[in-house]
Amino acid sequence: MKRIKDRIAAATVAGLLAGFALPQTAGAEALKFVSWQKDERGIGDWWGTVIKEWEAKHPGDTIEWTKVERNAYADTMTTLFAGGTPPDIVHLASFEFQTFANNGWLEDLGPWIEKAGLDLNGWSGQNTCQFQGTTVCVMMLYYGVIFGYNEDMLKQAGVAVPKNYEEFLAAARATTKDLNGDGILDQFGTGHETRGGSGQYLAEMASYLFDTGARFTDAEGNVTIDTPEMVEGLKRWKTVVTENLTPRDLSAGEVRKLFADGKIALKIDGPWIYQIMQDGTAKDKLKLASVPFDPPLGGSSNVLAMPSEIPDEKKQLVWDFIAIATSHKFQGSFATMAASTPPDPNADLTEAKAKLPHFELMLESQRAAAKNRIDRIPVGLEVQFNEFSKMVQEEAQRMIIEDLDPAVVAKTMQEKAEALN
């Protein structure tokens, strides 16, 4: 039912976008830009500065910026492209652009990058934007997770800040407690979203899997799930969930709030967790440290692209927008305003480091993840990622509910992934 509602909402929004245009002077251009990040604190403000810079460089031209909610985003964009009315500036999650590229809807950016002399050497996560030998997008965020902990909880439990999985598990067990003796746990060692979508569920599991050396596929796209490393990783995930070291059936927002308010001792999350910590009632007890998993989870987040079926003059204007967003100047301001690590290895991070005491931790995590090419999106299964992540979620949940042997689950996942590949 929810999926049907999302599609209806997507069609409604798409209809409004397709028919809506601001009045403009003769000869002026208005580029359409659709994003789910418009109202997000920090990152939305940064996009606003990119738009302002572009409009200053193109007097009379404007950018019509429209927000579409994340849960209806992919359906909305699909409706717009399929109907021949795509936004001019294409903003997509890094796990969904492959379908658009597979339909031939995205421009080959290789010639644009070469002509502009844009140096993407060392650009974190950019390898994800390669699709069938073509560069179809530019990565706008590749982050490494950061590790938050409640200092008071660890001290009361008599455990140190964990530096590896074994210490993490011991600390999680020591801080999971029924504080009032009513038989109900009201303090948890760690916290994971287990109610959300399959992509997020896979990301929640991934730290435990990758720390063992497990990978879903190899560099050539061959499925590599049925391995001892994956079995161990699945065993770790099963342990954390079945021992109730994490609360169950909560959304990501609910879990983050529990951590920020002092109900969860250990939290591994993206860079956005820092601001959430500052808004919580336990903020004075919360600290950050190096991630106790090796390598840390990294994630390609979102990309910029352009439609292949728009006039050449509009393509140049879209490229001008991408050029501004990827410039050293704006990559530096991204770090400061979005409180996150920019993909540009040459961005000036002086201001971000001065403003954010934990910025070096984020850089350390991002660079380690990027060096190991860590991502929740497996090579070779990019187009099938939604089906793949749903399968992984279903089999992992079955493992927990039916108390299945992780070795059996790994074998089942291998067979089902090969059928998708």
Side-chain angles (χ1 to χ4, degrees):
M1 180 61 73
K2 181 178 183 296
R3 188 66 173 167
I4 294 173
K5 289 180 179 178
D6 285 349
R7 288 188 177 278
I8 292 173
T12 301
V13 173
L16 291 172
L17 290 172
F20 178 75
L22 294 174
Q24 53 184 308
T25 58
E29 288 283 4
L31 299 188
K32 292 181 180 180
F33 176 33
V34 179
S35 174
W36 67 94
Q37 294 180 331
K38 183 175 182 181
D39 298 331
E40 291 186 18
R41 182 176 176 182
I43 183 64
D45 299 322
W46 179 77
W47 282 120
T49 65
V50 176
I51 292 171
K52 183 177 180 181
E53 179 83 357
W54 184 91
E55 290 182 339
K57 291 185 175 181
H58 298 84
D61 295 337
T62 57
I63 290 178
E64 300 169 7
W65 190 14
T66 305
K67 178 178 179 177
V68 173
E69 294 296 338
R70 184 61 246 175
N71 61 0
Y73 199 81
D75 285 340
T76 298
M77 293 293 277
T78 300
T79 301
L80 289 171
F81 272 93
T85 57
D88 303 297
I89 301 168
V90 180
H91 188 211
L92 293 166
S94 60
F95 57 82
E96 65 193 4
F97 79 83
Q98 295 85 359
T99 299
F100 293 81
N102 199 46
N103 283 324
W105 290 339
L106 300 184
E107 176 85 354
D108 176 7
L109 295 184
W112 295 91
I113 292 169
E114 184 177 358
K115 180 180 178 181
L118 178 60
D119 182 8
L120 294 177
N121 185 41
W123 193 274
S124 297
Q126 183 58 27
N127 58 290
T128 302
C129 279
Q130 297 296 312
F131 185 81
Q132 297 179 355
T134 302
T135 301
V136 295
C137 59
V138 176
M139 187 61 60
M140 294 310 297
L141 174 59
Y142 177 94
Y143 63 88
V145 294
I146 54 177
F147 175 49
Y149 65 94
N150 189 302
E151 189 173 44
D152 282 9
M153 284 188 190
L154 295 187
K155 285 182 178 179
Q156 290 169 13
V159 293
V161 179
K163 295 183 179 179
N164 53 47
Y165 166 72
E166 289 73 20
E167 294 178 0
F168 179 90
L169 179 62
R173 283 170 168 165
T175 52
T176 298
K177 297 180 179 180
D178 169 13
L179 297 175
N180 56 15
D182 64 357
I184 300 174
L185 293 174
D186 34 37
Q187 178 178 294
F188 298 89
T190 189
H192 293 288
E193 175 184 8
T194 53
R195 195 180 70 192
S198 57
Q200 182 61 31
Y201 190 95
L202 189 153
E204 298 285 346
M205 295 175 58
S207 288
Y208 301 97
L209 307 181
F210 295 162
D211 184 65
T212 67
R215 301 291 186 271
F216 293 115
T217 62
D218 61 20
E220 287 71 45
N222 302 306
V223 179
T224 56
I225 298 177
D226 189 12
T227 64
E229 293 82 5
M230 184 64 74
V231 172
E232 173 61 23
L234 290 171
K235 178 183 176 183
R236 293 180 180 187
W237 174 251
K238 182 180 179 182
T239 296
V240 169
V241 178
T242 56
E243 290 189 15
N244 294 312
L245 304 183
T246 174
R248 299 211 204 178
D249 199 31
L250 295 182
S251 68
E254 290 169 327
V255 172
R256 289 167 181 151
K257 181 167 176 36
L258 285 178
F259 174 64
D261 290 343
K263 303 297 184 182
I264 288 174
L266 311 170
K267 186 77 178 87
I268 295 174
D269 211 329
W272 46 81
I273 193 64
Y274 176 75
Q275 189 55 57
I276 295 171
M277 287 163 52
Q278 305 315 301
D279 295 336
T281 59
K283 67 177 181 179
D284 295 334
K285 303 173 184 177
L286 304 179
K287 309 293 181 183
L288 293 169
S290 295
V291 181
F293 294 94
D294 182 28
L297 176 63
S300 56
S301 175
N302 60 94
V303 303
L304 276 181
M306 75 168 74
S308 55
E309 301 296 328
I310 58 174
D312 289 344
E313 58 270 21
K314 275 202 170 184
K315 288 181 180 179
Q316 181 60 58
L317 294 174
V318 173
W319 176 255
D320 291 346
F321 182 88
I322 294 174
I324 291 170
T326 56
S327 67
H328 295 326
K329 171 185 173 181
F330 277 86
Q331 285 291 291
S333 65
F334 173 86
T336 303
M337 296 181 71
S340 190
T341 49
D344 181 5
N346 299 309
D348 184 355
L349 305 177
T350 305
E351 185 178 353
K353 290 179 179 180
K355 180 181 177 183
L356 303 167
H358 65 292
F359 202 84
E360 285 291 352
L361 288 174
M362 292 197 298
L363 277 178
E364 172 191 306
S365 179
Q366 182 216 36
R367 288 169 179 171
K371 179 181 178 180
N372 288 277
R373 293 201 166 191
I374 296 298
D375 204 295
R376 61 179 170 176
I377 307 170
V379 175
L381 289 169
E382 296 91 349
V383 174
Q384 305 94 333
F385 179 71
N386 287 338
E387 297 167 87
F388 173 75
S389 60
K390 183 179 179 182
M391 179 274 291
V392 169
Q393 180 184 31
E394 290 174 347
E395 295 306 322
Q397 289 176 328
R398 186 175 292 116
M399 172 181 69
I400 292 165
I401 295 170
E402 299 179 13
D403 191 24
L404 300 179
D405 183 343
V408 174
V409 175
K411 188 178 294 292
T412 300
M413 287 183 177
Q414 174 83 20
E415 294 171 355
K416 292 191 173 184
E418 287 178 343
L420 292 173
N421 201 357

